[in-house]
Amino acid sequence: MTSTIRTSVVPFVVEASGTGVAQHLVVQGDAGHEFDTDAYPAFGGKDEAPSPLFFALGSLTSCNQVTANLVAKDLGITLGKFTFRIQGDLDTAVLVKGVDGNANFDTVTVEATVETDATGDAFDHFVSEVERRCPVTQLFVRSGTGFVNTWTRADLT
């Protein structure tokens, strides 16, 4: 059996260390990106850095915007400014009290507005391609989380 090396696979590596619920994370590579996480006091933290749950939701906005730009390039669409509002509804009973169930978000709602020249069916196709191709969106969709994805177009300024 011959193994095939997929040149399209890019490893993303993060190393982390910490005590209690706080961590310091370092992205592997030449850029030297670093960030910290903590948790609310109710979860044992000091709230000195964003919760990992906020980073998960923030990665959803960022990844959608990156993916949207890649999709727009493929479709010949022009994009301008983006705005996002993302809400994750989390029942903390599993996390905090250890009750049986799923510790995942019950629902994640994405509300995105993007300035674009795409209209009608072209805009709808653009949005469906962004959802299909965005790795972080697919993490949420395939996890079984209720996922509401609403995009609105605005005229380019």
Side-chain angles (χ1 to χ4, degrees), residues 27-45:
V27 176
Q28 188 179 62
D30 294 335
H33 298 299
E34 299 184 27
F35 59 102
D36 295 299
T37 64
D38 198 359
Y40 291 137
F43 299 145

Side-chain angles (χ1 to χ4, degrees), residues 48-61:
E48 293 177 343
S51 158
L53 298 172
F54 285 119
F55 277 102
L57 297 175
S59 70
L60 184 57
T61 65

Side-chain angles (χ1 to χ4, degrees), residues 89-150:
D89 296 329
L90 181 70
D91 180 348
T92 60
V94 176
L95 172 65
V96 176
K97 297 178 183 173
V99 301
D100 288 337
N102 184 347
N104 201 354
F105 289 103
D106 293 328
T107 304
V108 171
T109 303
V110 175
E111 296 171 357
T113 300
V114 60
E115 294 177 350
T116 182
D117 60 354
T119 60
D121 290 342
F123 181 72
D124 294 343
H125 177 64
F126 161 74
V127 171
S128 69
E129 275 298 287
V130 172
E131 182 172 325
R132 182 182 75 82
R133 291 170 56 174
C134 177
V136 179
T137 293
Q138 288 304 310
L139 282 173
F140 284 101
V141 168
R142 293 178 182 206
S143 75
T145 295
F147 193 81
V148 180
N149 193 29
T150 305

